[in-house]
Amino acid sequence: MSVSDQIARQLPYLRRYARALTGSQHSGDAYVRATLEAALADRDLREEIAHSRAALYAAFTRIWTTGHVEEQPPENSGDTHEQAARTRLATIAPTHRQALLLSTVEEFSREETARILGVSPEEADALVAQAIAEIENESKTRVLIIEDEPLISMQLESLVDDLGHTVVGTAATRTQAVDIFERSPAGLVLADIQLADGSSGIDAVEDLLKFGDVPVIFITAYPERLLTGERPEPTYLVTKPFQEVTVRAAISQALFFRSSEPMG
């Protein structure tokens, strides 16, 4: 496999990380693009990141921490949602967010997370703990679960309860999801993509968003259906089989930003 192919395989996931870190697809992609430009100009760096996923994220981190990336404002640069997201991000230390996302959503080991951030494993653990403490100060909410596998649905319901939120209902089909939401509007939706009757969780979410903006986390065994780069992508995407700590982190992030829109 060529160097470019090896890097390309990791790009959807790096873009996911950048999007969650910055709160904006537009801004996140700008930092990813700057990382690739740096690799293009440095053969040694290019070889390094092609053979190590952690090295790719470390290179991105070096670009991110400098903050010197030219961003052309998107057409909707006056969007109040993105402005609100940036305001909220300012209240959480950047290194805390990085450690949390790397160790949960991106599923790096504590040693890899530490190496990416240039800290010790013990310091990485402390950063994750601080991020969780800061984010979980957010208010509790009502949650709709759209999932057709009963065991997974029960697992998610238990996790949501443990976090202090209220489950308004669980749906196995698009129609059930809309019916439940009409009766009991939720402040957060956890949604699978492929549902029991062949209906789509994506379509179900689009139906729900007609009632108003609500943060959505897709939890799916088919992330490639959403990480295409061909259209605005969901900000919060967890891959099955998942670890509960990953879902916890996604819930915290989603409630922190308070929106499902693919920002930027």
Side-chain angles (χ1 to χ4, degrees):
M1 186 182 296
S2 69
V3 170
S4 60
D5 287 342
Q6 289 171 316
I7 294 175
R9 289 180 61 186
Q10 299 301 331
L11 278 185
Y13 304 99
L14 181 64
R15 292 181 62 238
R16 172 180 66 182
Y17 169 68
R19 185 167 63 250
L21 180 63
T22 63
S24 163
Q25 182 171 318
H26 174 80
S27 180
D29 282 351
Y31 280 95
V32 170
R33 186 166 52 251
T35 302
L36 297 180
E37 289 171 352
L40 187 63
D42 186 333
R43 182 182 180 85
D44 291 338
L45 175 61
R46 188 162 64 251
E47 292 288 341
E48 181 183 359
I49 67 177
H51 295 92
S52 169
R53 181 168 176 256
L56 174 61
Y57 281 69
F60 172 89
T61 297
R62 290 192 291 272
I63 299 293
W64 158 256
T65 54
T66 66
H68 301 311
V69 170
E70 293 290 334
E71 293 185 51
Q72 293 297 323
E75 293 181 1
N76 63 340
S77 58
D79 181 65
T80 57
H81 171 221
E82 181 159 342
Q83 292 174 359
R86 291 181 181 276
T87 299
R88 294 187 190 103
L89 277 172
T91 68
I92 304 296
T95 52
H96 298 176
R97 296 200 310 277
Q98 287 177 281
L100 179 66
L101 292 168
L102 288 169
S103 63
T104 55
V105 174
E106 301 306 319
E107 299 184 336
F108 283 107
S109 68
R110 64 193 293 264
E111 290 76 17
E112 289 172 325
T113 297
R115 187 158 61 249
I116 291 168
L117 296 178
V119 300
S120 70
E122 292 74 21
E123 289 173 319
D125 290 341
L127 291 173
V128 172
Q130 289 169 324
I132 291 173
E134 291 169 1
I135 292 176
E136 287 189 346
N137 285 331
E138 290 296 305
S139 59
K140 305 306 179 184
T141 193
R142 293 154 57 86
V143 181
L144 169 62
I145 298 171
I146 307 174
E147 170 60 62
D148 65 334
E149 297 183 43
L151 290 178
I152 295 179
S153 182
M154 286 188 288
Q155 183 182 6
L156 291 173
E157 187 169 357
S158 176
L159 187 153
V160 167
D161 287 338
D162 288 345
L163 290 175
H165 305 300
T166 301
V167 176
V168 298
T170 58
T173 68
R174 175 182 181 180
T175 300
Q176 289 176 0
V178 174
D179 288 345
I180 293 172
F181 196 89
E182 284 183 320
R183 296 194 307 269
S184 303
L188 174 69
V189 176
L190 306 182
D192 191 5
I193 290 179
Q194 187 167 301
L195 302 178
D197 61 350
S199 61
S200 166
I202 298 173
D203 292 336
V205 166
E206 289 179 351
D207 290 342
L208 300 184
L209 293 180
K210 294 175 183 177
F211 294 97
D213 188 32
V214 57
V216 177
I217 299 171
F218 284 102
I219 303 176
T220 177
Y222 308 98
E224 66 278 1
R225 296 185 184 179
L226 293 172
L227 295 174
T228 63
E230 297 174 357
R231 62 179 182 178
E233 299 167 355
T235 303
Y236 312 105
L237 178 63
V238 175
T239 303
K240 290 180 179 177
F242 59 81
Q243 297 182 27
E244 290 195 358
V245 66
T246 303
V247 181
R248 277 182 68 110
I251 290 175
S252 294
Q253 288 280 117
L255 292 180
F256 183 67
F257 286 116
R258 296 286 181 181
S259 179
S260 64
E261 295 178 15
M263 295 176 285

